[in-house]
Amino acid sequence: MEQKIKGKCKYCGKEYTGSYMGRHLSACKARQARIMEEKGSKRCGYFELKIYFKYNKDYWLFVEVSENAALRDVDNFLRDIWLECCGHLSAFRIGEISYESMPAGNFFWGEPPRSMNHKLKTVLEKGMTIDYEYDFGSTTELKITVSDYRIGYYKKEKLTLLSRNNPPVFLCDNCGKKPAVIVRPEYMWDDMGFLCEDCEKEIGSEDDFVLNVCNSPRMGVCGYEGSDIYPDQFEPDQQ
Ligand SMILES: [Zn+2]
Ligand SMILES: [Zn+2]
Ligand SMILES: [Zn+2]
């Protein structure tokens, strides 16, 4: 189900869909003005990444990352904003090569896995789309497109969040009226997974396994309860 969920631009606060946001970010006047204000002595290349959930493109992020950052920095960011539940393994897959959070010695075919210490400038190129997986059991699969590249002044932050989708609203499966606040993974197949506060009190039981509704492709999976660091609703610099 494509809901075409919008998100806000960090610089001007305007809302666009995930498919249009990339074009907006390269044309945004507020962003251009901010880039013009940057100064310094060192220059640095920046990749713009569009990151989205493989099975529902309404979960999306735009980030700008220094080309000197490592894959591990992107992995840490993805864990912080969308994924971390209990320290599972993760991997980027670029062409035939896998870059893993804990590269194991044994492999079945092709190239042996590498570590995530590789810098982005050694593995990425504008235009490529790569795969990412978190947790090799209950896997959350993401796609990462290198949507742009620019050279600018060196910034302290390796990674800047430019935009993310607004939180999708899931209506309660019981009353169909109020937004759900909890999800019960065991009832998802019966279409009774999402419950609002009132209905949880009414029909929920203490034995139910419940997780928070949150703005993440990992909602309802394993023990994922949402991010402690990033609010579900992205706050732009300018409203
Ligand atoms: Zn903008
Ligand atoms: Zn877990
Ligand atoms: Zn309800």
Side-chain angles (χ1 to χ4, degrees):
M1 181 173 56
E2 293 279 305
Q3 295 173 299
K4 301 278 180 217
I5 288 198
K6 291 181 176 179
K8 295 177 182 180
C9 165
K10 170 182 170 66
Y11 299 99
C12 68
K14 289 192 188 125
E15 293 195 321
Y16 299 101
T17 60
S19 51
Y20 189 78
M21 185 57 82
R23 261 183 287 167
H24 169 73
L25 284 168
S26 41
C28 175
K29 293 212 169 68
R31 184 184 187 199
Q32 292 304 325
R34 284 278 286 276
I35 289 173
M36 296 294 282
E37 283 169 14
E38 292 173 358
K39 30 177 125 36
S41 48
K42 274 199 281 180
R43 306 277 278 174
C44 178
Y46 291 94
F47 289 109
E48 186 181 287
L49 307 180
K50 180 182 184 180
I51 305 168
Y52 52 96
F53 184 32
K54 187 173 176 183
Y55 302 107
N56 181 346
K57 287 181 181 171
D58 276 340
Y59 290 101
W60 51 267
L61 307 165
F62 277 89
V63 289
E64 183 173 81
V65 197
S66 160
E67 63 177 2
N68 293 311
L71 287 170
R72 191 171 301 282
D73 296 313
V74 179
D75 180 57
N76 284 336
F77 164 74
L78 289 172
R79 287 168 182 262
D80 284 347
I81 194 166
W82 261 2
L83 303 170
E84 187 66 277
C85 48
C86 27
H88 300 282
L89 300 176
S90 58
F92 294 90
R93 197 167 168 80
I94 305 176
E96 294 301 301
I97 301 169
S98 181
Y99 299 83
E100 302 188 354
S101 56
M102 299 256 291
N106 47 354
F107 53 97
F108 299 105
W109 65 85
E111 296 257 356
R114 297 182 185 175
S115 87
M116 289 188 178
N117 297 330
H118 288 75
K119 290 185 175 184
L120 298 192
K121 65 181 172 191
T122 64
V123 293
L124 296 187
E125 255 174 59
K126 184 178 164 179
M128 61 172 34
T129 294
I130 66 172
D131 295 288
Y132 173 91
E133 290 182 4
Y134 175 79
D135 180 2
F136 304 151
S138 305
T139 311
T140 302
E141 293 179 66
L142 308 180
K143 290 273 189 189
I144 301 175
T145 296
V146 186
S147 51
D148 208 350
Y149 177 82
R150 73 176 180 97
I151 294 178
Y153 287 109
Y154 173 84
K155 291 189 287 188
K156 246 196 353 251
E157 312 77 53
K158 286 182 188 166
L159 193 147
T160 308
L161 180 59
L162 305 176
S163 184
R164 76 179 290 191
N165 66 279
N166 295 332
V169 175
F170 297 91
L171 284 182
C172 173
D173 283 330
N174 189 52
C175 65
K177 288 184 187 124
K178 294 190 176 168
V181 292
I182 60 125
V183 53
R184 304 184 299 170
E186 285 154 357
Y187 291 85
M188 289 297 268
W189 303 116
D190 305 326
D191 284 332
M192 282 299 281
F194 289 103
L195 292 182
C196 72
E197 235 164 290
D198 295 346
C199 293
E200 187 196 4
K201 282 190 200 120
E202 201 184 305
I203 64 163
S205 111
E206 275 180 20
D207 302 329
D208 288 348
F209 176 60
V210 301
L211 294 167
N212 292 331
V213 166
C214 57
N215 186 4
S216 158
R218 199 162 172 79
M219 177 182 64
V221 181
C222 193
Y224 191 66
E225 293 267 36
S227 172
D228 296 332
I229 298 169
Y230 294 90
D232 277 356
Q233 175 65 62
F234 175 66
E235 294 296 340
D237 297 348
Q238 204 176 309
Q239 298 286 343

